[in-house]
Amino acid sequence: MIVGAQWGDEGKGKIVDLLAQHSDLVCRYNGGPNAGHTIVVGGETYKLKHIPSGILGGKECVIGAGCVVDPQVLIEELDDLEGRKVSTELIRLSGNAHLVMPWHPAIDRASERRLGKLQIGTTRRGIGPTYADKAYRLGIRVQDLLDSKILRQKIEVALAEKNVWLERVYGEEPIELEGLVERYEGYAERLRPMIVDTSLLVDRALRDGKRVLFDGAHGTLLDLDHGTYPFVTSSPTLAGGASAGIGIGPTRIDCVIGVAKAYVTRVGEGPFPSEIEGPEHDRLQELGGEFGTVTGRQRRCGWLDLVGLRYAVRLNGMTSLALTKLDVLSAFSELPVCVRYLLPDGTETEEFPAHQSDFHHCRPVYETLRGWEEPLDGIEDLSDLPERARAYVDFVERQLGVEVSLIGTGAERTRVLSARGVAAVASA
Ligand code: GDP
Ligand code: IMO
Ligand code: MG
């Protein structure tokens, strides 16, 4: 199981792609087109939103029940991959996943506009409204595409309510029924062959002794229950969400690898204790190429936050950590690492604050490590890592009490260092 340990964009796509080489099945269990995973293989860059990052390795890929699917975006992704000679034949889509309907992005955009200064900074992809309708039991599911009578009826019922919202609450144009039904019937034709019982498929794969990799989207601090609410996404992002999102028991997951950048980024609004102020911020942003995969927005950058990471280790039951983008830190002579938070009452803590006001007003307490100030480009073996880079990784391991099993030194699939070897990490 691969899970984001910060606020998303940790480099999960690259790690999943890498470990997929040693897996049989790769499954997404949460989120939708708000995720953006960039994978670089042989100089080619691929950007995935819905499709699990195992697709480039030619693996069978599952989009589970916990996901929300925008059919238009998914079809564009399929076309893009096919156009680049990547087969999409092995993609399996759960009939229980919910569909992003055109009113969802419209409501997402209008709601953010109304919130003004208080906005969440969502990706405007309709994620919150889609999950809200799912909980409200007004959602339309992938399997509704299989029967045009049911599809029409469900769209009709939902639209009657949504158009009132769009027109009267948000001052938007209403959506017309006929054109919409026709459009979704078209999507149905394309997606029909992919729709299967994915819970049964994964269960059978596990029973047959196959290796199943879970591809978690977003990040721990964006989790709906345990993240920095309300500045979170609307799905469970923790390892625990995988069993519910796919439909297998939690006892089937035996290894949880958290992915964290060697620093931190965040897109959208919300508190961020170790955010950098001043010119070093822009330098880190530029060197790390910290611009969103989905929206192109600038990612806010900060120093590594071990309080947040310790929380992520706990919430996910992490068995090891993949530390990505260590190469980006080569440019800095000093590397502050946040080891504790100073709370408004003057006390210091190593644990993530349970109360929102403590988190919003805490200050980072840094321990500054010396940088290695040399590129990590040609390094193929962990033993060749500069001593101070090794010390940085060791510091993280010691502070968190968890092994760093993979170290990212570049965007390419091959740019990774591991003491145990990638195959051993994948089979843990
Ligand atoms: P994800 O959403 O967690 O899959 O991460 P994104 O793909 O949104 O953002 C991570 C970015 O960092 C992508 O552009 C990756 O190609 C890139 N990346 C991943 N690992 C490394 C690494 O170790 N070093 C460098 N320099 N780039 C990396
Ligand atoms: P990956 O899988 C980074 C953030 C958005 C916003 C908040 C709510 O690429 O790591 P939403 O559209 O989900 O309602 O937005 O969550 N967010 C992400 N930030 N990476 C992601 O996914 C994200 N998914 C959601 O920026 O702050
Ligand atoms: Mg991303």
Side-chain angles (χ1 to χ4, degrees), residues 2-60:
I2 306 302
V3 66
Q6 295 158 329
W7 275 292
D9 300 329
E10 299 92 345
K12 299 174 294 294
K14 176 194 155 163
I15 299 294
V16 170
D17 168 69
L18 182 75
L19 298 183
Q21 314 298 314
H22 306 273
S23 310
D24 301 299
L25 195 63
V26 183
C27 311
R28 254 289 284 282
Y29 65 87
N30 68 330
N34 49 342
H37 304 156
T38 304
I39 301 166
V40 186
V41 187
E44 284 273 317
T45 300
Y46 300 86
K47 291 178 188 289
L48 301 172
K49 295 189 183 93
H50 281 108
I51 299 173
S53 305
I55 194 72
L56 301 177
K59 304 298 169 169
E60 190 167 21

Side-chain angles (χ1 to χ4, degrees), residues 340-402:
R340 290 183 299 280
Y341 291 160
L342 172 64
L343 299 176
D345 68 3
T347 60
E348 291 188 3
T349 180
E350 286 190 338
E351 299 299 340
F352 199 82
H355 196 283
Q356 58 190 357
S357 300
D358 281 338
F359 184 63
H360 282 238
H361 300 295
C362 73
R363 307 281 310 155
V365 179
Y366 288 117
E367 211 165 304
T368 300
L369 276 62
R370 289 183 64 193
W372 47 96
E373 295 182 273
E374 55 180 295
L376 304 182
D377 286 352
I379 296 176
E380 289 184 4
D381 199 279
L382 193 62
S383 56
D384 296 329
L385 203 61
E387 208 173 295
R388 287 184 199 146
R390 183 70 239 187
Y392 189 85
V393 176
D394 288 348
F395 185 76
V396 173
E397 278 189 336
R398 248 193 342 269
Q399 288 273 326
L400 299 177
V402 71

Side-chain angles (χ1 to χ4, degrees), residues 14-181:
K14 176 194 155 163
I15 299 294
V16 170
D17 168 69
L18 182 75
L19 298 183
Q21 314 298 314
H22 306 273
S23 310
D24 301 299
L25 195 63
V26 183
C27 311
R28 254 289 284 282
Y29 65 87
N30 68 330
N34 49 342
H37 304 156
T38 304
I39 301 166
V40 186
V41 187
E44 284 273 317
T45 300
Y46 300 86
K47 291 178 188 289
L48 301 172
K49 295 189 183 93
H50 281 108
I51 299 173
S53 305
I55 194 72
L56 301 177
K59 304 298 169 169
E60 190 167 21
C61 284
V62 167
I63 301 174
C67 295
V68 294
V69 176
D70 186 325
Q72 190 178 333
V73 177
L74 175 57
I75 289 167
E76 282 167 12
E77 248 183 291
L78 293 169
D79 288 345
D80 177 53
L81 287 172
E82 288 290 345
R84 299 173 74 177
K85 306 276 179 276
V86 177
S87 169
T88 59
E89 238 174 82
L90 294 177
I91 296 177
R92 316 285 181 232
L93 176 57
S94 167
N96 286 359
H98 279 246
L99 292 173
V100 178
M101 302 301 290
W103 51 82
H104 293 129
I107 291 172
D108 197 358
R109 284 192 300 269
S111 155
E112 286 280 271
R113 222 175 18 247
R114 252 169 89 104
L115 282 168
K117 272 210 234 142
L118 297 177
Q119 67 169 270
I120 292 159
T122 71
T123 59
R124 312 310 202 246
R125 295 295 186 270
I127 305 303
T130 308
Y131 278 110
D133 276 352
K134 168 179 169 174
Y136 195 50
R137 289 148 301 176
L138 196 65
I140 299 177
R141 296 192 294 173
V142 166
Q143 60 179 287
D144 296 328
L145 293 171
L146 297 173
D147 182 320
S148 58
K149 230 168 103 191
I150 293 177
L151 179 67
R152 168 176 289 270
Q153 193 189 32
K154 292 218 170 178
I155 292 182
E156 218 167 349
V157 169
L159 203 52
E161 177 163 330
K162 296 302 168 184
N163 273 341
V164 175
W165 273 80
L166 283 173
E167 282 186 276
R168 305 231 186 115
V169 180
Y170 295 119
E172 297 275 318
E173 288 296 311
I175 294 169
E176 200 247 324
L177 175 70
E178 284 313 318
L180 188 61
V181 171

Side-chain angles (χ1 to χ4, degrees), residues 105-360:
I107 291 172
D108 197 358
R109 284 192 300 269
S111 155
E112 286 280 271
R113 222 175 18 247
R114 252 169 89 104
L115 282 168
K117 272 210 234 142
L118 297 177
Q119 67 169 270
I120 292 159
T122 71
T123 59
R124 312 310 202 246
R125 295 295 186 270
I127 305 303
T130 308
Y131 278 110
D133 276 352
K134 168 179 169 174
Y136 195 50
R137 289 148 301 176
L138 196 65
I140 299 177
R141 296 192 294 173
V142 166
Q143 60 179 287
D144 296 328
L145 293 171
L146 297 173
D147 182 320
S148 58
K149 230 168 103 191
I150 293 177
L151 179 67
R152 168 176 289 270
Q153 193 189 32
K154 292 218 170 178
I155 292 182
E156 218 167 349
V157 169
L159 203 52
E161 177 163 330
K162 296 302 168 184
N163 273 341
V164 175
W165 273 80
L166 283 173
E167 282 186 276
R168 305 231 186 115
V169 180
Y170 295 119
E172 297 275 318
E173 288 296 311
I175 294 169
E176 200 247 324
L177 175 70
E178 284 313 318
L180 188 61
V181 171
E182 218 172 280
R183 216 171 104 197
Y184 274 71
E185 279 173 350
Y187 298 149
E189 282 317 299
R190 179 75 188 269
L191 299 181
R192 188 183 298 272
M194 298 180 186
I195 304 171
V196 298
D197 183 341
T198 48
S199 157
L200 187 62
L201 180 98
V202 176
D203 179 70
R204 285 193 173 145
L206 287 165
R207 279 174 198 274
D208 289 347
K210 291 192 175 156
R211 288 190 188 167
V212 180
L213 186 64
F214 293 99
D215 177 355
H218 325 300
T220 295
L221 297 174
L222 291 171
D223 181 71
L224 184 57
D225 288 310
H226 300 280
T228 52
Y229 191 90
F231 304 101
V232 294
T233 190
S234 299
S235 65
T237 64
L238 305 179
S243 69
I246 288 293
I248 53 149
T251 48
R252 314 293 285 280
I253 297 170
D254 52 12
C255 171
V256 179
I257 302 178
V259 185
K261 274 178 186 153
Y263 47 98
V264 189
T265 61
R266 170 164 214 178
V267 202
E269 306 305 317
F272 183 175
S274 67
E275 186 166 17
I276 303 170
E277 284 167 20
E280 289 205 308
H281 178 275
D282 296 358
R283 210 161 142 236
L284 185 54
Q285 187 180 61
E286 199 185 322
L287 289 168
E290 298 300 351
F291 303 92
T293 311
V294 177
T295 58
R297 286 181 294 173
Q298 298 193 0
R299 295 174 181 153
R300 300 156 62 193
C301 298
W303 301 118
L304 188 64
D305 180 350
L306 293 178
V307 181
L309 265 187
R310 188 172 293 111
Y311 185 51
V313 169
R314 162 155 62 99
L315 290 178
N316 292 294
M318 236 182 252
T319 48
S320 78
L321 189 69
L323 199 64
T324 62
K325 300 189 107 166
L326 193 66
D327 52 304
V328 176
L329 295 184
S330 290
F332 297 86
S333 56
E334 294 199 327
L335 298 168
V337 176
C338 172
V339 290
R340 290 183 299 280
Y341 291 160
L342 172 64
L343 299 176
D345 68 3
T347 60
E348 291 188 3
T349 180
E350 286 190 338
E351 299 299 340
F352 199 82
H355 196 283
Q356 58 190 357
S357 300
D358 281 338
F359 184 63
H360 282 238

